[in-house]
Amino acid sequence: MASNASSLTTLLTLVVFLLFGLTSAQLKFGFYNHVCPEAEAIVFKEMAQVISKAPSLAGPLLRLQYHDCFVRGCDASVLLNPTAANNQTEKITLPNLSIRGFGVIDRIKAKLEAACPGIVSCADVITLVARDAVILTHGPYFQVQTGRRDGTISLAQDVIGNLVPPTSNLTTLKAAFHKKGLNVKDMVVLSGAHTIGTSHCSAFSSRLYNSTGKGGVDPTLDKRYVERLKGKCRPNDNTTLVEMDPGSFRTFDTGYFKQVAKRRSLFLSDEALLHDEETRAYVERQAKANPEQFFGDFAESMLKMGRVEVLTGKEGEIRKVCGAVN
Ligand SMILES: *[C@@H]1O[C@H](CO)[C@@H](O)[C@H](O)[C@H]1NC(C)=O
Ligand SMILES: *[C@@H]1O[C@H](CO)[C@@H](O)[C@H](O)[C@H]1NC(C)=O
Ligand SMILES: *[C@@H]1O[C@H](CO)[C@@H](O)[C@H](O)[C@H]1NC(C)=O
Ligand SMILES: *[C@@H]1O[C@H](CO)[C@@H](O)[C@H](O)[C@H]1NC(C)=O
Ligand SMILES: CC(=O)N[C@H]1CO[C@H](CO)[C@@H](O)[C@@H]1O
């Protein structure tokens, strides 16, 4: 009896050790609860101020997490500034046209460093900021995991083939998500992030002026929508910004799916979602449904994306400033 009890204790101790050993180097909910309890509140407070003053930053600050996670994993490599003219980082590549708000990240990081020096990673700042951008545009509240560490490498050439251009077809899109361990459902769900924010005309103007239909127009686009877009975007216009979900581009809702279903999407990569049975069904369902299902799916896919190739435990570092390695 006594020996049974003691072997049970040994077994339990072993199980606890194993669990501990496994989870200690993984992301968790509330990673900062003990080491920097106010971390999430600091981020949210700053984000609330930013979004109330500059609502147009919500879109880019949400997309920043995708730009980070798809290139070398969610390690804040997207934030590193080049160290030499011959050593360009991710930030300096063309897709950076669509990301703004680096100053917001730097300010939030400075506040976190003042409260808890050397504790909160820039990669987690990106994650918390993206989540808060959703909440502050009236999307769902959801918890995110933290405990990421920051990477020390950022290479411009890594962007190619990992971040897919908005002109991508379905095959390219699926492959890019698959490469990151994300499935077709994650792809259509995360595309729903286009419900907030704006795009440069240059990301889609080939559909207006240089496509396969009459007058160079993309025949898959709603004709009235084409007229409206042409009124905003001249050919070769790379400065004008257009709302991605016209009329509700500051509200996180199912508006994106309504637009795509009506053939009023901006990007070829949005239109592509109608060419796959599963993604098309999802688009059409969400176009008519209450937002609850999309909101739940979005939170789930954001959690999955937030785990892509993360550094944890003793890997990487906690940067002092987000634009440079320590
Ligand atoms: C270029 O950047 C990489 C990683 O970001 C770094 O390891 C390397 O030392 C840099 N080279 C130069 C010349 O700055
Ligand atoms: C999709 O795009 C890729 C890259 O541009 C191209 O190689 C491929 O042929 C395209 N596939 C289809 C089915 O159009
Ligand atoms: C139009 O598309 C063709 C082929 O895709 C390309 O070679 C050409 O440069 C494009 N023209 C403009 C003005 O973008
Ligand atoms: C924007 O377009 C102008 C004129 O076509 C061109 O000179 C400039 O290099 C373009 N900028 C970018 C970032 O593509
Ligand atoms: C903010 C930022 O880093 N912008 C860069 C984007 O990339 C172009 C080159 O493609 C640079 O000239 C910008 O400085």
Side-chain angles (χ1 to χ4, degrees):
M1 208 52 188
S3 119
N4 267 356
S6 94
S7 59
L8 187 64
T9 311
T10 315
L11 185 67
L12 281 177
T13 312
L14 193 66
V15 167
V16 168
F17 261 104
L18 278 176
L19 281 177
F20 215 82
L22 284 175
T23 53
S24 67
Q26 282 180 352
L27 302 183
K28 42 178 146 172
F29 295 104
F31 180 87
Y32 297 112
N33 283 355
H34 297 295
V35 285
C36 185
E38 63 274 51
E40 296 202 18
I42 290 172
V43 177
F44 188 80
K45 187 173 169 218
E46 187 68 20
M47 277 297 286
Q49 279 171 14
V50 166
I51 301 306
S52 78
K53 281 194 217 125
S56 69
L57 278 177
L61 286 170
L62 170 55
R63 277 198 303 286
L64 185 59
Q65 193 178 11
Y66 157 74
H67 283 252
D68 184 33
C69 295
F70 268 58
V71 186
R72 300 192 86 87
C74 316
D75 69 341
S77 54
V78 69
L79 302 178
L80 289 173
N81 293 317
T83 50
N86 62 352
N87 206 10
Q88 298 298 340
T89 57
E90 293 171 28
K91 209 179 185 177
I92 296 304
T93 58
L94 195 61
N96 75 13
L97 269 179
S98 75
I99 44 176
R100 294 179 290 129
F102 293 109
V104 173
I105 302 286
D106 290 342
R107 275 204 305 284
I108 291 174
K109 172 66 172 170
K111 295 228 154 97
L112 291 167
E113 284 300 299
C116 326
I119 300 291
V120 184
S121 68
C122 296
D124 281 341
V125 173
I126 292 176
T127 305
L128 295 168
V129 158
R131 185 271 305 270
D132 292 348
V134 173
I135 297 174
L136 290 163
T137 49
H138 313 290
Y141 171 82
F142 57 103
Q143 288 201 309
V144 288
Q145 295 176 313
T146 41
R148 291 168 195 76
R149 310 261 303 172
D150 297 324
T152 54
I153 298 172
S154 177
L155 304 168
Q157 65 261 32
D158 285 345
V159 171
I160 301 157
N162 282 310
L163 279 186
V164 284
T167 49
S168 300
N169 61 34
L170 190 66
T171 318
T172 305
L173 285 171
K174 278 185 177 175
F177 277 74
H178 182 74
K179 202 165 136 187
K180 304 296 161 189
L182 300 171
N183 61 28
V184 171
K185 183 176 179 191
D186 297 316
M187 180 178 93
V188 62
V189 167
L190 292 171
S191 299
H194 289 162
T195 177
I196 57 169
T198 55
S199 161
H200 282 98
C201 292
S202 47
F204 59 85
S205 64
S206 67
R207 300 185 76 194
L208 307 178
Y209 297 109
N210 197 16
S211 184
T212 55
K214 196 163 160 252
V217 173
D218 182 342
T220 65
L221 264 177
D222 174 77
K223 288 195 175 53
R224 268 187 294 176
Y225 196 48
V226 169
E227 290 317 310
R228 202 152 96 195
L229 292 175
K230 278 187 163 179
K232 294 177 195 281
C233 301
R234 293 159 281 111
N236 306 317
D237 177 346
N238 56 15
T239 52
T240 306
L241 289 166
V242 173
E243 299 173 13
M244 291 197 280
D245 177 11
S248 92
F249 76 115
R250 286 176 180 176
T251 312
F252 191 98
D253 56 17
T254 54
Y256 167 79
F257 297 110
K258 295 191 173 88
Q259 300 293 337
V260 175
K262 285 193 285 196
R263 305 191 168 278
R264 294 176 165 209
S265 59
L266 280 191
F267 308 127
L268 281 170
S269 58
D270 297 324
E271 204 272 329
L273 298 173
L274 297 175
H275 298 282
D276 170 271
E277 230 176 278
E278 181 182 348
T279 56
R280 182 193 182 108
Y282 191 88
V283 167
E284 289 175 347
R285 197 160 63 246
Q286 300 313 325
K288 294 190 211 108
N290 290 326
E292 280 71 30
Q293 192 196 0
F294 167 55
F295 282 2
D297 290 342
F298 191 76
E300 205 174 295
S301 291
M302 284 293 277
L303 278 179
K304 267 177 89 174
M305 185 173 77
R307 288 193 286 262
V308 171
E309 298 160 38
V310 289
L311 303 173
T312 56
K314 294 188 160 48
E315 297 167 321
E317 62 180 20
I318 304 295
R319 277 181 219 151
K320 290 190 177 70
V321 292
C322 291
V325 300
N326 291 343

